[in-house]
Amino acid sequence: MLGATGSIGTSTLDVIARHPERYRVHALTAHRSREALLRQCRVHHPRIAVLERAEDADWLAEQLRSAGLDTEVHHGEAALSEVAGAAEVDVVMAAIVGAAGLLPTLAAVRAGKRVLLANKEALVMSGALFMGAVAESGAALLPIDSEHNAIFQCLPAEHRGGLARQGVTQLLLTASGGPFRGHDHQQLAAVTPEQACAHPNWSMGRKISVDSATLMNKGLELIEACWLFDARPEQIQVVVHPQSVIHSMAAYSDGSVLAQMGNPDMRTPIAYGLAWPERIDAGVEPLDLFAVARLDFEPADEQAFPCLRLAREAMQAGGTAPAILNAANEIAVAAFLERRLGFNDIARLVEEVREQLVVTPADDLALVLEADQRSRQEALAWLERQR
């Protein structure tokens, strides 16, 4: 489990705990949340635990020894890739947030694992390389984001070779609209990090909550959907659906529209990915349509929320443009959470960084990582100039 202590990681462990006869945890990894990882190790007894820093790994190892547990503790980026490709591992949950998840997720793909992809940035940054590695290794790639998981369920069992061959005319990517649905640009200027992190329907980490509030998360999901389902940006429509009951849809040439519905609980797509093609109990309450009562839909407001437009344009530009977009956004969101940047300035920073940097082909991982670093440096310089 790459990213065990985040919201996806804890939800995954909840599903696994319901099926001890089917699953055993081999490795749990975390960034710096050593106390949370210690609690998880005490419950799930992994063979290996991984943290970023050596001092945190030393602390965790001592705590585990004191508890009488024999979990091995490692640290650093190389250790993440090593556990992701370990021979003992059948399934890898890729739930590290941001660009940091790219290399270990790629390691899991290249090792031919079943990869449950909750890290959208891996595809955003290096879509062609990533999908090429999937095809070459024979890895099973199952999307865990609720929207992509829904589309996966609504498409034919064999959907490679383009949507048209399967009679699919459009993918409808639903969005809750976030906490500021209906707000205009002026109203958004005074938004605080606390308000942006208070999502009306989903329980998520702070970074992805801000991305949801700016609609950048939906833009990144649009890019991810293009790679996952061999679609063009113009084949994907974002539909604001505030109830978050329909998780996404696929429209067919005969007029049919297939939708996947359920309560907004990430344990549903996690359980689907773990057991596919079977279905197992996820601990999620059945959907009560009478309690929902109504389903509303509206177009996304790209004037108030320009990040969605910026993501679509990056996908259309191709090459390293999505990696540049993603890196600049990560810097901008971090600055917003630290109260060094206004909410509306997130999109402004991303757009100005994108305009400053030259887009190059993304046919080599080194070029992708170089574009990522160039974008971060330019974003930090932009922040310094504004200060």
Side-chain angles (χ1 to χ4, degrees):
M1 288 199 42
L2 302 171
T5 59
S7 61
I8 295 293
T10 54
S11 293
T12 303
L13 288 174
D14 179 86
V15 175
I16 287 173
R18 297 170 187 275
H19 302 278
E21 75 288 354
R22 295 183 66 125
Y23 304 109
R24 180 176 59 83
V25 177
H26 176 74
L28 298 176
T29 85
H31 181 50
R32 296 184 181 178
S33 301
R34 63 187 195 179
E35 291 86 359
L37 190 59
L38 173 62
R39 291 192 294 270
Q40 291 180 340
C41 289
R42 284 172 169 164
V43 173
H44 298 282
H45 302 161
R47 179 179 170 188
I48 298 171
V50 181
L51 284 158
E52 181 198 23
R53 301 186 302 188
E55 56 266 39
D56 291 328
D58 291 341
W59 177 89
L60 180 61
E62 177 59 33
Q63 296 296 317
L64 291 171
R65 280 194 296 270
S66 299
L69 299 176
D70 58 0
T71 298
E72 297 177 23
V73 182
H74 303 280
H75 71 275
E77 187 177 273
L80 291 176
S81 295
E82 185 176 339
V83 296
E88 301 93 331
V89 170
D90 302 304
V91 181
V92 175
M93 169 57 78
I96 295 176
V97 175
L102 172 59
L103 293 179
T105 305
L106 259 179
V109 165
R110 287 168 173 164
K113 308 300 183 184
R114 172 181 292 204
V115 178
L116 310 186
L117 188 66
N119 170 273
K120 62 179 63 66
E121 290 84 0
L123 272 177
V124 168
M125 292 174 65
S126 62
L129 288 169
F130 192 94
M131 295 308 292
V134 171
E136 184 176 344
S137 69
L141 184 65
L142 294 167
I144 298 303
D145 272 349
S146 62
E147 296 82 359
H148 303 96
N149 188 270
I151 291 170
F152 188 90
Q153 294 190 50
C154 292
L155 292 179
E158 178 55 60
H159 54 261
R160 293 186 180 87
L163 298 177
R165 290 184 57 186
Q166 309 301 326
V168 178
T169 57
Q170 193 175 47
L171 302 179
L172 304 170
L173 203 63
T174 59
S176 69
F180 309 125
R181 182 175 61 89
H183 287 45
D184 60 29
H185 191 267
Q186 186 173 355
Q187 291 173 303
L188 293 170
V191 161
T192 68
E194 291 75 20
Q195 291 170 324
C197 290
H199 196 281
N201 299 335
W202 295 95
S203 175
M204 303 180 292
R206 284 165 64 80
K207 193 270 182 183
I208 194 172
S209 294
V210 175
D211 282 348
S212 180
T214 64
L215 292 194
M216 178 60 88
N217 189 52
K218 204 54 50 179
L220 298 178
E221 288 177 0
L222 185 151
I223 296 172
E224 185 182 5
C226 288
W227 290 115
L228 282 170
F229 306 116
D230 196 14
R232 302 185 305 276
E234 58 269 23
Q235 290 179 291
I236 301 174
Q237 181 180 2
V238 173
V239 179
V240 175
H241 166 52
Q243 290 87 2
S244 295
V245 168
I246 294 178
H247 299 302
S248 276
M249 296 167 271
Y252 285 79
S253 55
D254 62 1
S256 299
V257 177
L258 301 188
Q260 188 267 338
M261 303 173 67
N263 284 318
D265 190 319
M266 286 305 299
R267 290 177 298 174
T268 295
I270 289 167
Y272 183 86
L274 281 169
W276 178 84
E278 300 176 50
R279 301 268 184 171
I280 58 173
D281 173 37
V284 179
E285 289 295 317
L287 180 64
D288 184 345
L289 289 174
F290 299 111
V292 175
R294 57 182 288 172
L295 302 174
D296 296 308
F297 307 96
E298 59 191 62
D301 182 354
E302 294 190 15
Q303 288 191 326
F305 303 95
C307 285
L308 179 57
R309 169 182 58 82
L310 294 175
R312 184 185 299 107
E313 289 173 355
M315 185 62 193
Q316 290 168 336
T320 56
I324 291 169
L325 171 100
N326 178 71
N329 180 65
E330 287 191 16
I331 296 296
V333 170
F336 169 72
L337 289 170
E338 294 166 2
R339 304 180 191 279
R340 296 188 291 119
L341 189 69
F343 184 83
N344 286 336
D345 289 328
I346 294 174
R348 182 169 157 240
L349 183 157
V350 172
E351 185 160 26
E352 293 192 16
V353 168
R354 190 198 63 176
E355 290 173 351
Q356 287 295 318
L357 297 181
V358 176
V359 174
T360 62
D363 51 7
D364 182 88
L365 186 58
L367 294 175
V368 172
L369 296 176
E370 180 186 350
D372 175 87
Q373 288 304 308
R374 284 191 294 118
S375 182
R376 291 174 192 278
Q377 292 164 3
E378 182 61 33
L380 291 170
W382 188 95
L383 285 170
E384 188 61 29
R385 290 195 297 271
Q386 298 306 307
R387 193 179 72 167

